[in-house]
Amino acid sequence: MATPPSRPPDLDGPLRPPRPESPSALKGILITEEELRDRIQQLAKDINRVYREESVVVVGVLSGSILFFADLIRQIRSPLEIDFVGISSYRTGTTAGRLETTKPVTTELKGRRVLVVDDILDGGNTLTAVKNTLRPLQASEIRCCVLLERSDRRVQPVQADFVGFRIPDYFVVGYGLDYGEKYRNLPYVGVLDESLLSSTRDT
Ligand code: IMP
Ligand code: MG
């Protein structure tokens, strides 16, 4: 990459209070709609600088990436195809668990440039599993873009090429991210009240 991508902001400041219409399980708001919009615009600029209008296959990781994916691809100038990969992780506490492919990529990737898009890079097992699933399909390159990154719990040596925000050790929901399949439709990223977290979570 000629120019390195922009540095993701570290969100270590205080949370904004929940709004009157926020779910009662929400402790606060970490990233507002405006902050998401502005940062995704910058991410798209970084991405456009790398692909320089050459064709790319954008692969979203189901289901957490869908809102981010939809907003991001609208701003990518390359001719692109889209596909989705389903990977589910079942974990206990902070230990990453078994990973299962629930939907394979069906687009021909041989010799193509691929950009994988996911909601959050945490331990790194999900992104590692996605890359392993795609590798036999012989893409010419695989890059990754994640909206959020929590670096202190990494168990796999995997990195994202484009990162929206670095976040502290909060469990976050909204803008695609869920807790027990709920809250994906919130238009902002919020922090869940820890007392409501159980030991198992779905991707
Ligand atoms: P990893 O495999 O540990 O990197 O975890 C990544 C996956 O776990 C993401 O694709 C998310 O679906 C899920 N995940 C990790 N942290 C959170 C969170 O704070 N909120 C919601 N989902 C999360
Ligand atoms: Mg996920």
Side-chain angles (χ1 to χ4, degrees):
M1 259 181 253
T3 321
S6 56
R7 226 180 104 75
D10 271 300
L11 300 182
D12 44 15
L15 293 178
R16 262 65 55 87
R19 298 182 191 157
E21 73 279 10
S22 296
S24 56
L26 218 68
K27 196 161 81 175
I29 295 177
L30 184 63
I31 316 175
T32 64
E33 293 90 327
E34 293 73 25
E35 289 164 342
L36 286 165
R37 194 195 49 221
D38 292 351
R39 181 65 189 137
I40 291 169
Q41 207 166 37
Q42 181 60 55
L43 274 181
K45 279 188 190 153
D46 293 344
I47 289 169
N48 285 327
R49 244 196 344 257
V50 168
Y51 292 104
R52 286 182 281 131
E53 303 188 26
E54 287 162 26
S55 101
V56 56
V57 183
V58 189
V59 175
V61 183
L62 294 172
S63 303
S65 73
I66 55 159
L67 300 195
F68 175 44
F69 184 95
D71 286 339
L72 185 69
I73 60 167
R74 274 180 255 210
Q75 301 182 56
I76 298 182
R77 287 198 307 266
S78 299
L80 58 82
E81 284 173 53
I82 65 170
D83 204 339
F84 295 92
V85 62
I87 301 270
S88 281
S89 107
Y90 300 87
R91 47 172 89 209
T92 309
T94 53
T95 322
R98 182 172 52 90
L99 285 171
E100 228 171 42
T101 303
T102 52
K103 190 230 166 268
V105 164
T106 50
T107 306
E108 170 75 60
L109 296 188
K110 192 166 182 182
R112 313 274 318 264
R113 304 178 85 179
V114 171
L115 178 66
V116 174
V117 175
D118 202 3
D119 50 3
I120 180 167
L121 171 56
D122 186 24
N125 285 310
T126 305
L127 220 47
T128 303
V130 169
K131 283 182 143 181
N132 289 342
T133 327
L134 299 184
R135 199 155 291 125
L137 305 177
Q138 301 180 324
S140 62
E141 63 167 41
I142 302 174
R143 290 182 202 258
C144 298
C145 175
V146 293
L147 177 68
L148 309 175
E149 178 180 49
R150 211 170 20 223
S151 346
D152 50 352
R153 297 209 304 207
R154 196 65 41 80
V155 292
Q156 296 286 348
V158 63
Q159 282 190 340
D161 303 272
F162 309 96
V163 176
F165 301 88
R166 293 220 163 89
I167 66 162
D169 196 12
Y170 289 130
F171 192 83
V172 288
V173 294
Y175 199 65
L177 292 122
D178 74 308
Y179 176 65
E181 291 305 323
K182 288 200 298 196
Y183 313 116
R184 292 196 196 274
N185 57 322
L186 296 177
Y188 46 79
V189 176
V191 174
L192 213 58
D193 184 339
E194 273 120 55
S195 64
L196 299 168
L197 295 179
S198 73
S199 60
T200 307
R201 59 163 100 136
D202 301 330
T203 48

